[in-house]
Amino acid sequence: MTKLSARSEAYLRRYRGWLRMFPNAFRSRFADEMALVLRDQLEDLEERGHAELTRDAYHAALSDIPLNLLQEWLTTPPALSNLGLTGTRAFWYALTFLSLLTVAGAIFQLPAIVAVASITAVISVIGFVWYQTGRVSLTILCLGIMIGGIAAVMSLTAYFPALTPTADEAIWSLVIGYFGAIVPATFYAAWLRLNSAYYSPKLLASLGDEQLRKLEQDNARKRRFAYRGILVTALIILIPNLIALYDPARDLSFISTPEHSVPRQQNAYYKMEAIPLSASEELPTQESENVIEYIEGIRWNPTDTTRILSEAQPTLQALSDANQLAGYQMPGLEFASDNPSQPMPPHAFVDYPRYQRAENLALLSAKKDFLSDNDEAGLKTVEEILQINAKIDASNQPLAYHSFIDAYQLEAAKLLLTVAKDEPASWKAELKQQLPAAKTIWKNGSRALAWDTLDELGSINQGSITNALPLPPYAFQPNRTKYLVAEEAKKLIDQPMTACADMPGSGKPPSGYDMPTLSKYLTYNGFGNEIVASAFFETQYHGNDCNLIGYLGDLGKAIE
Amino acid sequence: MRNQEEGHHLGVRSYAVLLALSEGERHGYDLMKQVALDSDNAIVMGPATLYTTLKRLLELQLIAESEKKSDGPHAAQRRYYRLSSTGRTALADELERSEKFSSLLRRRLA
């Protein structure tokens, strides 16, 4: 007997450690013998003066473990056998549970990814159980379990808001988890496979020293190849991530600041704010447009919008009643009723359509509040809004919120028409009362445009988060422009009426707009053109409204 | 090793082990080398594969633990295995089956 080198002894100790993973019955019967076989091999190699090959023998023995380990665990009755469960059956129960979990995740959070992952996992395990064991089966099994595991974890994080990733983070995490784990593992497995051929006892016995030396050189070359492969793979994975880290949109540190202490799901808004305008200069035009088309294709479903609006009133009442009964404590409902722009809490996923309706209801409810001050005129306006919306939806026109403005404008125009048409003294007093209401209607209508734009952005972002749409960070960029325009509009609306003096209705941009900034988008992409055009439209519109308000004011003075 | 408990089919590794034991009693490393030698290096078994295979064959009573003890180092851990009469029959059955298929194949290819 030759005393083993320290390195071989270390290999042997490690190998014994791995053998502890086998079921107790198998381990107690065979582990010593298995270790002895490896010891014999290591001794054999060292005695022949090829200590370098001991590492290969060790790795080959290691690579031989996983499949047999699984096989033993699957065929060894566990202690649960007292309950009538075999290891195989318990495994299937666990698999069923995992599948249900991932399918639930598919329904509630990450549809495509989790569905694919769970199916892959199930098929892989079935493939392993059904067919004879082999390295291919093992690779597929490991792949499936890994994907299934990642998917299950991703699904579970949906229920812990602090951990819930945004859409692009989710995608990145999955990609990193997938390639970061699978690719190096595959390379490592390939490396073990390449080297495992050398430990063949017969091969070793038949080779002379010179040939063995060549084998060692060849072995080293292959190992270098494998290391380079792992390095290149790591770089492929790391480089885009490092680039992404430099993207200001991914700087989430501000979320934890007191003024922005919001649930993590909301951070899409703040992400938009965090992107400097200069970042948009690198926007790929065509890709942005494609993303916009994609988003709007999902966002605007006229049939669905009509259905939601038709259900709005009764559902509003039901929601209100339910909230009152629950003392505003019922999970999910309070979000919808109190703050429509809040993102969905995870537990609201269980009734997404209801929540979606509730959000719309709450929006209508907010509008109803200020309209209620105008009594019949307000309620009539609501009806008109619904009618106009229905018409717009029926004609497949997007941007249904424009109809709100139309309705308010219509209401104000009606009052104007009344003034122009009839001037009986008996109506003057009534008109004097109605003119402030008309102004309020106009102002709130304009604010509604701004808010609706913000809500729309919230919906788009929320949709991208909850549906895990594969949106790259720059997909938010055009919406950010819209967001800025809406914010500008809000500021203008809230300015004192004297601001109208600066806007004679000639189409001159209102002073509140940062036109040079907005104009930058004109040169960047098609969507920029659209935004700038829409900004001019808003300006013109605002100017006209100033005229309208001024006209109404003049009329009021005349009436007095 | 599907259906191995029913004795319908044994995997190629199991037959390789039975074949290696047909010449006499062997211990683990010896068995591993013999399998590689017999198969012209086509079947290379690691320790884990070898002993999961041995476990199945022991359960099916195709092999048995030998009384032989090693007088070398690690004698306490080193165990020898031998072919049982059932194992010999299984090998003979396999030989017969192989010859039958071979002759059938020869006739069809002729």
Side-chain angles (χ1 to χ4, degrees):
Chain A
M1 175 196 170
T2 308
K3 183 173 168 56
L4 280 180
S5 67
R7 188 167 72 167
S8 291
E9 286 288 1
Y11 288 150
L12 209 52
R13 273 198 305 277
R14 279 183 235 162
Y15 186 68
R16 283 183 187 280
W18 287 108
L19 292 181
R20 287 188 195 142
M21 293 196 302
F22 277 94
N24 189 45
F26 182 86
R27 191 176 70 239
S28 59
R29 171 68 180 82
F30 296 110
D32 286 345
E33 282 185 77
M34 289 163 74
L36 189 58
V37 167
L38 179 62
R39 183 185 190 90
D40 288 344
Q41 266 188 286
L42 299 177
E43 274 182 7
D44 201 4
L45 289 167
E46 288 190 354
E47 278 174 6
R48 301 188 62 202
H50 296 286
E52 276 304 309
L53 289 173
T54 55
R55 178 170 55 182
D56 303 323
Y58 168 65
H59 284 147
L62 273 191
S63 71
D64 189 44
I65 285 180
L67 189 62
N68 289 290
L69 185 68
L70 278 169
Q71 182 179 311
E72 280 310 308
W73 275 112
L74 289 174
T75 54
T76 301
L80 288 174
S81 57
N82 293 333
L83 299 174
L85 283 175
T86 63
T88 306
R89 190 174 294 176
F91 177 78
W92 277 108
Y93 284 161
L95 179 65
T96 306
F97 176 73
L98 178 67
S99 303
L100 289 175
L101 195 69
T102 47
V103 168
I107 293 169
F108 298 136
Q109 183 70 3
L110 299 166
I113 298 166
V114 182
V116 169
S118 55
I119 289 167
T120 309
V122 170
I123 289 175
S124 304
V125 176
I126 288 173
F128 167 73
V129 173
W130 231 262
Y131 295 101
Q132 203 163 2
T133 56
R135 287 179 193 277
V136 174
S137 303
L138 175 66
T139 307
I140 294 173
L141 174 73
C142 291
L143 203 69
I145 288 176
M146 201 170 288
I147 298 172
I150 291 170
V153 169
M154 296 294 289
S155 303
L156 284 172
T157 57
Y159 295 90
F160 300 97
L163 299 174
T164 305
T166 56
D168 53 329
E169 289 167 348
I171 296 295
W172 275 111
S173 303
L174 205 63
V175 168
I176 293 165
Y178 182 83
F179 287 104
I182 296 287
V183 177
T186 308
F187 269 92
Y188 188 68
W191 174 53
L192 289 179
R193 185 76 185 101
L194 284 173
N195 289 295
S196 66
Y198 300 157
Y199 90 102
S200 159
K202 192 231 174 187
L203 186 64
L204 291 173
S206 63
L207 293 177
D209 288 349
E210 183 59 30
Q211 288 168 304
L212 278 173
R213 264 193 295 278
K214 281 183 182 172
L215 266 183
E216 285 174 25
Q217 289 169 358
D218 192 41
N219 194 10
R221 186 178 57 80
K222 286 175 179 173
R223 194 177 295 121
R224 280 198 300 275
F225 173 79
Y227 284 146
R228 281 174 195 159
I230 291 171
L231 183 66
V232 169
T233 309
L235 287 177
I236 289 171
I237 294 164
L238 280 177
I239 286 173
N241 280 284
L242 289 175
I243 292 170
L245 283 177
Y246 281 104
D247 182 349
R250 290 186 63 81
D251 178 13
L252 305 177
S253 59
F254 51 82
I255 293 172
S256 60
T257 59
E259 61 269 29
H260 287 141
S261 180
V262 293
R264 191 163 159 71
Q265 294 101 321
Q266 265 187 292
N267 63 20
Y269 275 131
Y270 300 102
K271 273 190 167 185
M272 288 193 293
E273 287 180 317
I275 304 173
L277 282 176
S278 59
S280 64
E281 290 174 13
E282 286 80 35
L283 285 181
T285 303
Q286 192 55 47
E287 278 188 61
S288 293
E289 287 178 355
N290 291 343
V291 171
I292 290 299
E293 279 177 24
Y294 183 47
I295 292 171
E296 296 201 338
I298 291 170
R299 173 80 177 96
W300 296 106
N301 182 337
T303 308
D304 195 44
T305 310
T306 307
R307 179 180 59 75
I308 289 168
L309 286 172
S310 67
E311 291 177 8
Q313 289 296 344
T315 314
L316 174 63
Q317 191 59 49
L319 184 68
S320 174
D321 292 346
N323 270 337
Q324 283 184 3
L325 281 173
Y328 292 93
Q329 294 301 313
M330 189 178 289
L333 294 180
E334 75 276 15
F335 276 83
S337 59
D338 292 349
N339 190 349
S341 65
Q342 282 273 6
M344 282 195 305
H347 50 249
F349 291 160
V350 296
D351 193 359
Y352 178 75
R354 183 180 176 199
Y355 187 86
Q356 201 176 31
R357 283 199 299 275
E359 273 197 330
N360 285 281
L361 286 173
L363 283 172
L364 278 184
S365 175
K367 291 173 180 58
K368 192 183 166 195
D369 284 344
F370 69 73
L371 287 173
S372 64
D373 295 337
N374 301 311
D375 300 329
E376 290 181 8
L379 292 173
K380 192 177 171 189
T381 306
V382 169
E383 288 173 13
E384 286 173 355
I385 290 167
L386 294 174
Q387 286 172 6
I388 293 170
N389 264 323
K391 282 181 187 173
I392 289 177
D393 286 339
S395 62
N396 279 341
Q397 288 183 29
L399 305 176
Y401 56 82
H402 280 167
S403 62
F404 285 91
I405 288 297
D406 294 343
Y408 297 123
Q409 186 86 3
L410 179 64
E411 195 63 22
K414 276 181 183 175
L415 287 171
L416 194 60
L417 186 63
T418 308
V419 171
K421 235 169 51 175
D422 303 297
E423 297 178 355
S426 59
W427 284 27
K428 288 186 179 178
E430 189 183 346
L431 283 171
K432 279 172 71 177
Q433 286 183 327
Q434 287 185 348
L435 280 173
K439 289 179 182 176
T440 305
I441 290 170
W442 163 78
K443 190 171 180 179
N444 286 329
S446 298
R447 182 179 286 115
L449 171 64
W451 276 113
D452 283 348
T453 305
L454 293 174
D455 287 338
E456 179 205 1
L457 290 169
S459 301
I460 291 171
N461 285 334
Q462 184 59 45
S464 70
I465 293 165
T466 54
N467 298 323
L469 294 175
L471 297 182
Y474 56 74
F476 289 102
Q477 190 69 13
N479 292 317
R480 177 179 175 274
T481 311
K482 209 181 230 179
Y483 177 88
L484 289 174
V485 170
E487 287 285 1
E488 288 295 314
K490 266 172 57 193
K491 283 182 201 165
L492 282 175
I493 291 161
D494 291 333
Q495 279 175 358
M497 279 302 174
T498 52
C500 283
D502 300 327
M503 295 176 281
S506 63
K508 182 183 174 186
S511 54
Y513 276 108
D514 181 10
M515 289 311 293
T517 302
L518 288 175
S519 296
K520 284 180 74 177
Y521 288 92
L522 195 63
T523 54
Y524 295 147
N525 55 45
F527 191 77
N529 278 313
E530 190 185 322
I531 286 293
V532 172
S534 125
F536 278 113
F537 171 74
E538 299 292 333
T539 305
Q540 185 72 33
Y541 196 35
H542 200 89
N544 285 341
D545 283 347
C546 275
N547 280 346
L548 175 63
I549 291 298
Y551 186 36
L552 289 173
D554 290 345
L555 279 174
K557 285 177 190 169
I559 290 167
E560 283 181 1
Chain B
M1 296 278 197
R2 196 166 35 156
N3 297 330
Q4 65 179 12
E5 285 77 4
E6 298 163 28
H8 292 166
H9 297 291
L10 288 174
V12 65
R13 289 185 183 123
S14 297
Y15 280 113
V17 170
L18 293 179
L19 186 64
L21 289 174
S22 63
E23 279 190 347
E25 301 170 355
R26 294 183 191 277
H27 62 75
Y29 186 50
D30 191 19
L31 199 49
M32 199 163 85
K33 287 193 288 187
Q34 190 60 43
V35 166
L37 195 65
D38 290 346
S39 65
D40 199 19
N41 222 36
I43 303 173
V44 178
M45 301 167 92
T49 303
L50 175 66
Y51 279 92
T52 50
T53 305
L54 286 177
K55 182 192 164 197
R56 304 284 178 272
L57 295 176
L58 283 166
E59 284 170 354
L60 294 169
Q61 297 182 345
L62 297 176
I63 62 171
E65 201 177 322
S66 168
E67 298 294 324
K68 182 178 175 182
K69 291 291 175 192
S70 166
D71 51 358
H74 309 292
Q77 291 105 324
R78 200 178 297 282
R79 292 180 187 174
Y80 286 80
Y81 297 92
R82 63 176 173 78
L83 200 60
S84 70
S85 56
T86 318
R88 203 166 289 281
T89 308
L91 264 185
D93 287 348
E94 177 63 14
L95 177 64
E96 187 183 344
R97 194 171 66 85
S98 301
E99 284 177 345
K100 188 176 166 187
F101 274 100
S102 299
S103 62
L104 186 63
L105 186 62
R106 269 195 293 274
R107 278 206 306 276
R108 290 195 179 166
L109 291 178

